[in-house]
Amino acid sequence: MTAPHVAAPRHALAPVGPDLFREALGRHASGVVAITAMAGGTPVGLTATSFTSVSLAPPLISFYIADSSTTWPGLRRAPLFGVHLLAAGQSDLAARFAARGADRFAPPTSWRPSEENVPLIDGAAAHLICDRHETRAIGDHWLVVGHVRRALLNRRRPPLLYHGGAFGGFARLP
């Protein structure tokens, strides 16, 4: 059986501008992660909400980073990186890792190096240690796919969420 033919629209759709696009995507709640790495002996990091799982076998994750990011050159050179699923109560940390020019690893950020020398942010709901599986330029961003080599969980911490330009928490429905 063949699929029914669907006629193409007879009118052209108006282009979606960046402001409308950003507002529309702001209606989607997402988890908040911090990406960290060591670049030439210096810790680098950023906040991302464009994080997703890609594959279970092998275990792959992905995130996007703007081509204009000042963190990208250092992160791109690092052989390993960490993905930290931030926990409720870490909104100040998420904002600091998103701010341009901030010393993201200075106090009050609490962190330590992993066995692999990847900066681990204390208090996160989970840490994923990854090596780069694939990197690809897409539009004005880079898609980074990581192969998860190790996972550390903090089962007592609920996730930090981002929605409509603000951080929040999670509550189960009755």
Side-chain angles (χ1 to χ4, degrees), residues 15 38 41 47-48 50 54 62 84 88 90 99 106 111 113 117-118 135 139 150 155 158 160 174:
M38 281 292 192
T47 299
S50 61
V54 174
S62 71
H84 313 277
Q90 291 188 303
W111 68 280
N117 201 32
V118 171
T135 305
R150 191 155 66 103
R155 291 182 173 97
L160 178 65

Side-chain angles (χ1 to χ4, degrees), residues 159-171:
L160 178 65
L161 301 178
Y162 186 75
H163 178 260
F167 295 110
F170 174 79

Side-chain angles (χ1 to χ4, degrees), residues 27-133:
R27 307 256 188 255
H28 174 71
S30 61
V32 183
V33 300
I35 311 295
T36 64
M38 281 292 192
T42 302
V44 296
L46 59 102
T47 299
T49 56
S50 61
F51 170 79
T52 190
S53 62
V54 174
S55 169
L56 291 175
L60 301 175
I61 55 86
S62 71
F63 65 92
Y64 287 89
I65 183 168
D67 187 53
S68 61
S69 167
T70 57
T71 304
W72 177 232
L75 185 61
R76 185 176 192 165
R77 289 190 312 270
L80 298 171
F81 60 90
V83 178
H84 313 277
L85 286 74
L86 298 184
Q90 291 188 303
S91 59
D92 289 347
L93 187 138
R96 186 168 41 262
F97 270 62
R100 285 194 179 267
D103 186 350
R104 296 168 179 157
F105 291 90
T109 301
S110 179
W111 68 280
R112 67 194 185 292
S114 72
E115 294 172 11
E116 302 86 358
N117 201 32
V118 171
L120 295 180
I121 297 170
D122 293 337
H127 306 278
L128 306 173
I129 307 296
C130 306
D131 58 27
R132 192 170 334 286
H133 180 76

